[in-house]
Amino acid sequence: DSGVTQTPKHLITATGQRVTLRCSPRSGDLSVYWYQQSLDQGLQFLIQYYNGEERAKGNILERFSAQQFPDLHSELNLSSLELGDSALYFCASSEGDRASAEKLFFGSGTQLSVL
Amino acid sequence: QQQVKQSPQSLIVQKGGISIINCAYENTAFDYFPWYQQFPGKGPALLIAIRPDVSEKKEGRFTISFNKSAKQFSLHIMDSQPGDSATYFCAATRVTGGGNKLTFGTGTQLKVEL
């Protein structure tokens, strides 16, 4: 168990809808990262928050947004969903703000299916 | 743009054999290269990592070999066991300058048969 909690584990929704994925980092970790894993694209970095502030941005669509709350949990909001958004979404956390120098701890992911 | 290319996509090895997974990168600014292991239904977990100031790093049965001039690095799993069956991802990032983004390879599904 990595200590990173993601909910829900599975999410099935329809095109055009909006969903929220939730992540609780390991105790003491200040950074939260969101990754999207699909069969054709592999693991793609979406966004990072550090202590409530956006720290780095990757290939995140404008329809997607995220935030980190004062208690350090994070939410990833996906709107106007399309079939191609179906993927496994991972949250990871680390103690500091540098993924490259820190060990990332990944949650078990949220499997999103857009029908 | 795929900055880290990983091969093979899948690999079947007999128990006790050596599993070899290769990665190549394009960005010469990368200076930290971790490998992650992912079991079904779980998130990736850090396995071993290397910096380019060394050519090899070994931890138990897992070894990373690094060739800076060729911009390639590989994971060797010695005495492969059925419990090693998982998906392995190489990754790369830049430490200098405050890098925050890990660029992952596309993954290799390893199956170790009895």
Side-chain angles (χ1 to χ4, degrees):
Chain A
D1 183 12
S2 67
V4 178
T5 304
Q6 286 188 250
T7 56
K9 290 192 182 302
H10 303 277
L11 199 49
I12 301 174
T13 188
T15 55
Q17 295 298 304
R18 172 190 168 93
V19 297
T20 297
L21 282 53
R22 182 188 170 101
C23 169
S24 293
R26 287 191 328 150
S27 177
D29 284 358
L30 299 179
S31 273
V32 170
Y33 310 79
W34 286 97
Y35 281 84
Q36 179 191 58
Q37 185 177 34
S38 59
L39 288 175
D40 56 342
Q41 294 289 324
L43 272 162
Q44 297 285 315
F45 170 71
L46 296 178
I47 197 164
Q48 178 208 1
Y49 278 83
Y50 174 73
N51 203 21
E53 295 186 0
E54 182 182 305
R55 185 55 61 102
K57 217 166 185 177
N59 303 319
I60 188 166
L61 300 173
E62 286 190 11
R63 300 183 285 108
F64 296 180
S65 65
Q67 54 184 326
Q68 186 179 28
F69 295 86
D71 66 353
L72 300 178
H73 91 270
S74 178
E75 293 181 355
L76 179 66
N77 300 296
L78 314 177
S79 61
S80 302
L81 286 168
E82 301 175 359
L83 295 177
D85 297 327
S86 295
L88 192 52
Y89 290 84
F90 284 108
C91 167
S93 73
S94 70
E95 185 178 340
D97 67 345
R98 295 189 173 198
S100 53
E102 305 280 348
K103 183 176 181 178
L104 289 189
F105 294 86
F106 281 81
S108 295
T110 293
Q111 180 68 59
L112 173 66
S113 298
V114 182
L115 306 179
Chain B
Q1 182 183 2
Q2 177 60 273
Q3 294 192 42
V4 179
K5 295 183 179 180
Q6 183 172 348
S7 63
Q9 189 173 0
S10 62
L11 182 60
I12 299 175
V13 174
Q14 296 299 310
K15 179 183 175 183
I18 303 174
S19 304
I20 302 174
I21 304 170
N22 301 300
C23 284
Y25 62 96
E26 299 168 4
N27 189 343
T28 55
F30 287 153
D31 55 8
Y32 180 73
F33 304 89
W35 284 88
Y36 279 78
Q37 179 188 54
Q38 183 180 22
F39 292 105
K42 300 292 185 183
L46 179 65
L47 187 62
I48 187 173
I50 195 169
R51 295 185 189 275
D53 52 346
V54 296
S55 60
E56 186 175 283
K57 183 174 182 179
K58 184 177 181 180
E59 289 185 4
R61 296 184 294 108
F62 300 90
T63 300
I64 300 179
S65 296
F66 186 82
N67 186 330
K68 188 174 182 178
S69 61
K71 294 187 288 184
Q72 295 175 347
F73 58 110
S74 60
L75 176 69
H76 292 63
I77 306 175
M78 312 300 287
D79 187 26
S80 298
Q81 299 296 313
D84 296 331
S85 297
T87 300
Y88 292 82
F89 293 93
C90 62
T93 191
R94 179 185 175 186
V95 174
T96 310
N100 302 87
K101 170 187 164 183
L102 275 171
T103 299
F104 284 87
T106 51
T108 295
Q109 273 195 314
L110 170 65
K111 182 177 181 181
V112 181
E113 294 184 335
L114 292 169

Coordinates of all heavy atoms in Angstrom, one line a residue, chain A residues 33 35 37 39-45 48 55-59 88 90 97-109, chain B residues 2 9 31-32 36 38 41-47 51 87 89 93-107:
Chain A
Y33 N 0.6 14.9 -7.9 CA 0.7 14.8 -9.4 C -0.4 14.0 -10.0 O -0.8 13.0 -9.4 CB 2.1 14.2 -9.8 CG 3.3 14.7 -9.1 CD1 3.6 14.3 -7.8 CD2 4.2 15.5 -9.7 CE1 4.7 14.7 -7.1 CE2 5.3 16.0 -9.1 CZ 5.6 15.6 -7.8 OH 6.7 16.1 -7.2
Y35 N -1.5 11.9 -13.4 CA -1.1 11.3 -14.6 C -2.3 10.6 -15.3 O -3.2 10.0 -14.6 CB 0.0 10.2 -14.4 CG 1.4 10.8 -14.2 CD1 1.8 11.3 -12.9 CD2 2.3 10.9 -15.2 CE1 3.0 11.8 -12.7 CE2 3.6 11.4 -15.0 CZ 3.9 11.8 -13.8 OH 5.2 12.4 -13.6
Q37 N -3.1 7.4 -17.9 CA -2.5 6.2 -18.5 C -3.5 5.6 -19.5 O -4.6 5.2 -19.2 CB -2.1 5.2 -17.5 CG -1.4 4.0 -18.1 CD -1.0 3.0 -17.0 OE1 -1.6 2.8 -16.0 NE2 0.2 2.4 -17.3
L39 N -3.7 3.1 -23.3 CA -2.9 2.0 -24.0 C -2.0 2.6 -25.0 O -0.9 2.1 -25.2 CB -3.9 1.0 -24.6 CG -4.6 0.1 -23.6 CD1 -5.7 -0.7 -24.3 CD2 -3.6 -0.7 -22.8
D40 N -2.5 3.6 -25.7 CA -1.6 4.1 -26.8 C -0.7 5.2 -26.4 O 0.4 5.4 -27.1 CB -2.5 4.6 -28.0 CG -3.5 5.7 -27.5 OD1 -3.7 5.8 -26.3 OD2 -4.1 6.4 -28.3
Q41 N -0.9 5.9 -25.3 CA -0.1 7.1 -24.9 C 0.8 6.8 -23.7 O 1.6 7.6 -23.4 CB -0.9 8.3 -24.7 CG -1.6 8.9 -25.9 CD -0.7 9.5 -26.8 OE1 0.3 10.1 -26.4 NE2 -0.9 9.3 -28.1
G42 N 0.5 5.7 -23.1 CA 1.3 5.4 -21.9 C 1.0 6.3 -20.7 O -0.1 6.8 -20.7
L43 N 1.9 6.6 -19.9 CA 1.7 7.5 -18.7 C 2.0 8.9 -19.1 O 3.2 9.2 -19.4 CB 2.6 7.1 -17.5 CG 2.0 6.0 -16.6 CD1 3.2 5.4 -15.8 CD2 1.0 6.6 -15.7
Q44 N 1.0 9.8 -19.1 CA 1.2 11.2 -19.5 C 1.0 12.1 -18.3 O 0.0 12.0 -17.6 CB 0.2 11.5 -20.6 CG 0.4 10.8 -21.9 CD 1.6 11.2 -22.7 OE1 1.8 12.4 -22.8 NE2 2.4 10.3 -23.2
F45 N 2.0 12.9 -18.0 CA 1.9 13.9 -16.9 C 0.9 14.9 -17.2 O 0.9 15.5 -18.3 CB 3.3 14.5 -16.7 CG 3.3 15.6 -15.7 CD1 3.1 15.5 -14.4 CD2 3.5 16.9 -16.2 CE1 3.1 16.5 -13.5 CE2 3.5 18.0 -15.3 CZ 3.3 17.8 -14.0
Q48 N 0.9 19.2 -11.7 CA 1.4 19.0 -10.3 C 1.0 20.2 -9.4 O 1.0 21.4 -9.9 CB 2.9 18.9 -10.3 CG 3.5 18.8 -8.9 CD 4.9 19.3 -8.8 OE1 5.5 19.9 -9.7 NE2 5.5 19.2 -7.6
R55 N 2.3 23.9 -9.7 CA 3.8 23.9 -9.8 C 4.3 23.6 -11.2 O 5.2 24.2 -11.6 CB 4.4 23.0 -8.8 CG 5.9 23.1 -8.7 CD 6.4 24.5 -8.4 NE 5.9 25.0 -7.2 CZ 6.6 25.1 -6.1 NH1 7.9 24.7 -6.1 NH2 6.2 25.6 -5.0
A56 N 3.6 22.7 -11.8 CA 4.0 22.3 -13.2 C 2.8 21.8 -14.0 O 1.9 21.2 -13.4 CB 5.1 21.2 -13.1
K57 N 2.8 22.0 -15.3 CA 1.7 21.6 -16.1 C 2.3 20.8 -17.3 O 3.3 21.1 -17.9 CB 1.0 22.9 -16.6 CG -0.5 22.8 -16.8 CD -1.0 24.2 -17.0 CE -2.6 24.1 -17.0 NZ -3.2 25.5 -17.1
G58 N 1.6 19.8 -17.6 CA 1.9 18.9 -18.7 C 0.9 19.0 -19.8 O 0.4 20.0 -20.1
N59 N 0.6 17.8 -20.3 CA -0.4 17.7 -21.4 C -1.8 17.7 -21.0 O -2.6 16.8 -21.3 CB -0.1 16.5 -22.3 CG 1.4 16.4 -22.8 OD1 1.9 17.4 -23.2 ND2 2.0 15.3 -22.7
L88 N -7.0 5.4 -17.5 CA -6.7 5.2 -16.0 C -6.0 6.5 -15.6 O -5.0 6.9 -16.1 CB -5.8 4.0 -15.9 CG -5.6 3.4 -14.5 CD1 -6.9 3.1 -13.8 CD2 -4.8 2.1 -14.6
F90 N -4.1 8.4 -12.6 CA -3.3 8.1 -11.4 C -3.0 9.4 -10.7 O -2.7 10.5 -11.4 CB -2.0 7.4 -11.7 CG -2.1 6.0 -12.0 CD1 -1.9 5.5 -13.3 CD2 -2.4 5.1 -11.0 CE1 -2.1 4.1 -13.6 CE2 -2.5 3.7 -11.2 CZ -2.3 3.3 -12.5
D97 N 8.8 19.2 -3.8 CA 8.2 19.7 -5.0 C 9.0 19.3 -6.3 O 8.7 19.8 -7.4 CB 8.1 21.2 -5.0 CG 9.4 21.9 -5.0 OD1 10.4 21.3 -4.8 OD2 9.4 23.1 -5.2
R98 N 9.9 18.4 -6.2 CA 10.7 18.0 -7.3 C 10.6 16.5 -7.6 O 11.2 15.7 -6.9 CB 12.2 18.4 -7.1 CG 12.4 19.9 -7.0 CD 13.9 20.1 -7.1 NE 14.1 21.6 -7.1 CZ 15.3 22.1 -7.5 NH1 16.3 21.3 -7.8 NH2 15.4 23.4 -7.5
A99 N 9.7 16.2 -8.6 CA 9.5 14.8 -8.9 C 10.8 14.1 -9.2 O 11.0 12.9 -9.0 CB 8.5 14.7 -10.0
S100 N 11.7 14.8 -9.9 CA 12.9 14.2 -10.4 C 13.8 13.8 -9.2 O 14.5 12.9 -9.3 CB 13.6 15.2 -11.2 OG 13.8 16.4 -10.6
A101 N 13.7 14.5 -8.1 CA 14.6 14.2 -7.0 C 13.9 13.4 -5.9 O 14.6 13.0 -4.9 CB 15.2 15.5 -6.5
E102 N 12.7 13.2 -6.1 CA 11.9 12.6 -5.0 C 11.3 11.3 -5.5 O 11.1 11.0 -6.6 CB 10.8 13.5 -4.5 CG 11.2 14.9 -4.1 CD 11.8 14.9 -2.7 OE1 11.6 13.9 -2.0 OE2 12.4 15.9 -2.4
K103 N 11.1 10.4 -4.5 CA 10.3 9.2 -4.8 C 8.9 9.5 -4.9 O 8.3 10.1 -4.0 CB 10.6 8.2 -3.8 CG 10.0 6.8 -4.0 CD 10.4 5.8 -3.0 CE 9.7 4.4 -3.2 NZ 10.2 3.5 -2.2
L104 N 8.3 9.1 -6.1 CA 6.8 9.3 -6.2 C 6.1 8.1 -5.7 O 6.5 7.0 -6.0 CB 6.5 9.5 -7.7 CG 6.9 10.8 -8.4 CD1 6.2 10.9 -9.8 CD2 6.4 12.0 -7.6
F105 N 5.0 8.3 -5.0 CA 4.2 7.2 -4.6 C 2.8 7.4 -5.3 O 2.2 8.4 -5.2 CB 3.9 7.3 -3.0 CG 5.2 7.1 -2.3 CD1 6.1 8.1 -2.0 CD2 5.5 5.8 -1.8 CE1 7.2 7.9 -1.2 CE2 6.7 5.6 -1.1 CZ 7.5 6.6 -0.8
F106 N 2.5 6.3 -6.0 CA 1.3 6.3 -6.8 C 0.1 5.7 -6.1 O 0.3 4.7 -5.4 CB 1.5 5.6 -8.2 CG 2.3 6.4 -9.2 CD1 3.7 6.5 -9.2 CD2 1.6 7.0 -10.2 CE1 4.4 7.2 -10.1 CE2 2.3 7.7 -11.2 CZ 3.7 7.8 -11.1
G107 N -1.1 6.2 -6.3 CA -2.3 5.5 -5.9 C -2.6 4.4 -6.9 O -1.9 4.2 -7.8
S108 N -3.7 3.8 -6.6 CA -4.1 2.6 -7.5 C -4.9 3.0 -8.7 O -5.3 2.2 -9.5 CB -5.0 1.6 -6.7 OG -4.1 1.0 -5.6
G109 N -5.2 4.3 -8.8 CA -5.9 4.8 -10.0 C -7.4 4.8 -10.0 O -8.0 4.1 -9.2
Chain B
Q2 N 7.3 11.7 -28.5 CA 7.7 10.7 -27.6 C 9.2 10.9 -27.3 O 10.1 10.7 -28.2 CB 7.5 9.3 -28.2 CG 8.0 8.1 -27.4 CD 7.4 8.0 -26.1 OE1 7.8 8.6 -25.1 NE2 6.3 7.2 -26.0
Q9 N 7.7 -4.2 -26.3 CA 6.4 -3.9 -25.8 C 6.0 -5.0 -24.8 O 5.3 -4.7 -23.8 CB 5.4 -3.7 -26.9 CG 4.0 -3.2 -26.5 CD 3.1 -3.0 -27.7 OE1 3.5 -3.2 -28.8 NE2 1.9 -2.5 -27.4
D31 N 18.7 14.0 -16.7 CA 19.8 13.6 -15.9 C 19.4 12.7 -14.7 O 20.1 12.6 -13.7 CB 20.6 14.8 -15.4 CG 19.8 15.8 -14.7 OD1 18.6 15.5 -14.4 OD2 20.3 16.9 -14.4
Y32 N 18.2 12.1 -14.8 CA 17.7 11.2 -13.8 C 16.8 10.2 -14.4 O 15.9 10.6 -15.2 CB 17.0 12.0 -12.7 CG 16.4 11.2 -11.6 CD1 17.2 10.6 -10.6 CD2 15.0 11.0 -11.5 CE1 16.7 9.9 -9.6 CE2 14.5 10.2 -10.4 CZ 15.4 9.6 -9.5 OH 14.9 8.9 -8.5
Y36 N 10.0 2.1 -13.1 CA 8.9 1.8 -12.2 C 8.3 0.5 -12.6 O 8.3 0.1 -13.8 CB 7.8 2.9 -12.4 CG 8.1 4.2 -11.6 CD1 9.0 5.1 -12.0 CD2 7.4 4.4 -10.4 CE1 9.2 6.3 -11.3 CE2 7.6 5.5 -9.7 CZ 8.6 6.5 -10.1 OH 8.8 7.6 -9.4
Q38 N 4.8 -1.9 -12.3 CA 3.4 -1.8 -12.0 C 2.7 -3.2 -12.1 O 2.8 -3.9 -13.2 CB 2.7 -0.9 -13.0 CG 1.3 -0.6 -12.8 CD 0.6 0.3 -13.8 OE1 1.2 0.5 -14.9 NE2 -0.5 0.9 -13.5
G41 N -3.9 -3.6 -11.5 CA -4.7 -3.1 -10.5 C -4.0 -2.2 -9.5 O -4.6 -1.6 -8.5
K42 N -2.7 -1.9 -9.7 CA -2.0 -1.1 -8.8 C -1.3 0.0 -9.6 O -1.2 0.0 -10.8 CB -0.8 -1.9 -8.1 CG -1.3 -3.1 -7.3 CD -2.1 -2.6 -6.1 CE -2.5 -3.8 -5.2 NZ -3.3 -3.3 -4.0
G43 N -0.9 1.1 -8.8 CA -0.1 2.1 -9.5 C 1.3 1.8 -9.6 O 1.8 0.8 -9.0
P44 N 2.1 2.5 -10.4 CA 3.5 2.2 -10.6 C 4.2 2.5 -9.3 O 3.8 3.3 -8.5 CB 3.9 3.2 -11.6 CG 2.7 3.6 -12.3 CD 1.6 3.5 -11.3
A45 N 5.3 1.7 -9.0 CA 6.1 1.9 -7.8 C 7.6 1.9 -8.3 O 8.0 1.2 -9.1 CB 5.9 0.7 -6.9
L46 N 8.3 2.9 -7.7 CA 9.7 3.0 -8.0 C 10.5 1.8 -7.7 O 10.4 1.2 -6.6 CB 10.3 4.2 -7.2 CG 11.8 4.5 -7.5 CD1 12.0 4.9 -8.9 CD2 12.3 5.6 -6.5
L47 N 11.3 1.3 -8.7 CA 12.0 0.1 -8.6 C 13.5 0.4 -8.3 O 14.1 -0.1 -7.4 CB 11.9 -0.7 -9.8 CG 12.5 -2.1 -9.9 CD1 11.8 -3.0 -8.8 CD2 12.3 -2.7 -11.3
R51 N 21.6 8.0 -12.1 CA 22.0 9.3 -12.6 C 23.2 9.0 -13.6 O 23.9 8.1 -13.4 CB 22.4 10.2 -11.5 CG 21.3 10.6 -10.6 CD 21.7 11.6 -9.5 NE 20.7 11.8 -8.5 CZ 19.6 12.6 -8.7 NH1 19.5 13.3 -9.7 NH2 18.7 12.7 -7.7
T87 N 4.3 -4.9 -15.4 CA 4.6 -3.9 -16.5 C 5.7 -3.0 -15.9 O 5.6 -2.5 -14.8 CB 3.4 -3.1 -16.9 OG1 2.4 -4.0 -17.4 CG2 3.8 -2.1 -18.0
F89 N 8.1 0.4 -16.5 CA 8.2 1.7 -17.2 C 9.6 2.3 -16.9 O 10.0 2.4 -15.8 CB 7.1 2.6 -16.7 CG 5.7 2.3 -17.1 CD1 4.9 1.5 -16.2 CD2 5.2 2.6 -18.3 CE1 3.6 1.2 -16.5 CE2 3.9 2.3 -18.6 CZ 3.1 1.6 -17.7
T93 N 13.9 12.5 -16.5 CA 13.6 13.9 -16.2 C 14.9 14.6 -16.0 O 16.0 14.1 -16.0 CB 12.7 14.0 -14.9 OG1 12.2 15.3 -14.8 CG2 13.5 13.6 -13.7
R94 N 14.7 15.9 -15.8 CA 15.9 16.8 -15.6 C 15.9 17.3 -14.2 O 14.9 17.9 -13.8 CB 15.8 18.0 -16.6 CG 17.0 18.9 -16.4 CD 16.8 20.1 -17.4 NE 17.8 21.1 -17.1 CZ 17.8 22.3 -17.7 NH1 16.8 22.7 -18.6 NH2 18.7 23.2 -17.4
V95 N 16.9 17.0 -13.4 CA 17.0 17.4 -12.1 C 17.4 18.9 -12.0 O 16.8 19.7 -11.3 CB 17.9 16.5 -11.2 CG1 18.1 17.1 -9.8 CG2 17.4 15.1 -11.2
T96 N 18.5 19.2 -12.7 CA 19.0 20.5 -12.7 C 18.0 21.5 -13.2 O 17.4 21.3 -14.3 CB 20.3 20.6 -13.6 OG1 21.1 19.5 -13.3 CG2 21.0 21.9 -13.4
G97 N 17.8 22.6 -12.5 CA 16.8 23.6 -12.9 C 15.4 23.3 -12.4 O 14.5 24.0 -12.8
G98 N 15.3 22.3 -11.5 CA 14.0 22.1 -10.9 C 13.0 21.4 -11.7 O 11.8 21.8 -11.7
G99 N 13.4 20.3 -12.3 CA 12.4 19.6 -13.1 C 11.4 18.9 -12.2 O 11.6 18.5 -11.2
N100 N 10.2 18.9 -12.7 CA 9.1 18.3 -12.0 C 8.4 17.2 -12.7 O 7.5 16.6 -12.2 CB 8.0 19.4 -11.6 CG 8.6 20.5 -10.8 OD1 9.1 21.5 -11.4 ND2 8.5 20.4 -9.5
K101 N 8.7 17.1 -14.0 CA 7.9 16.2 -14.9 C 8.7 15.0 -15.2 O 9.8 15.1 -15.8 CB 7.5 17.0 -16.1 CG 6.9 16.2 -17.2 CD 6.7 17.1 -18.4 CE 6.5 16.3 -19.7 NZ 6.4 17.1 -20.9
L102 N 8.2 13.9 -14.9 CA 8.7 12.6 -15.3 C 8.1 12.2 -16.7 O 6.9 12.2 -16.8 CB 8.4 11.5 -14.3 CG 9.4 11.3 -13.1 CD1 8.8 10.3 -12.2 CD2 10.7 10.9 -13.6
T103 N 9.0 12.0 -17.7 CA 8.5 11.5 -19.0 C 8.7 10.0 -19.0 O 9.8 9.5 -18.8 CB 9.4 12.1 -20.1 OG1 9.2 13.6 -20.0 CG2 8.9 11.6 -21.4
F104 N 7.6 9.3 -19.2 CA 7.6 7.8 -19.1 C 7.7 7.2 -20.5 O 7.2 7.8 -21.5 CB 6.4 7.3 -18.5 CG 6.3 7.4 -17.0 CD1 5.9 8.6 -16.4 CD2 6.8 6.4 -16.1 CE1 5.9 8.8 -15.0 CE2 6.8 6.5 -14.8 CZ 6.3 7.7 -14.2
G105 N 8.3 6.0 -20.6 CA 8.2 5.2 -21.7 C 6.9 4.6 -21.8 O 6.1 4.7 -20.9
T106 N 6.6 3.8 -22.9 CA 5.3 3.3 -23.1 C 5.0 2.0 -22.3 O 3.9 1.4 -22.3 CB 5.0 3.0 -24.6 OG1 6.1 2.3 -25.1 CG2 4.8 4.4 -25.3
G107 N 6.1 1.4 -21.7 CA 5.9 0.3 -20.8 C 6.2 -1.1 -21.5 O 6.1 -1.2 -22.7

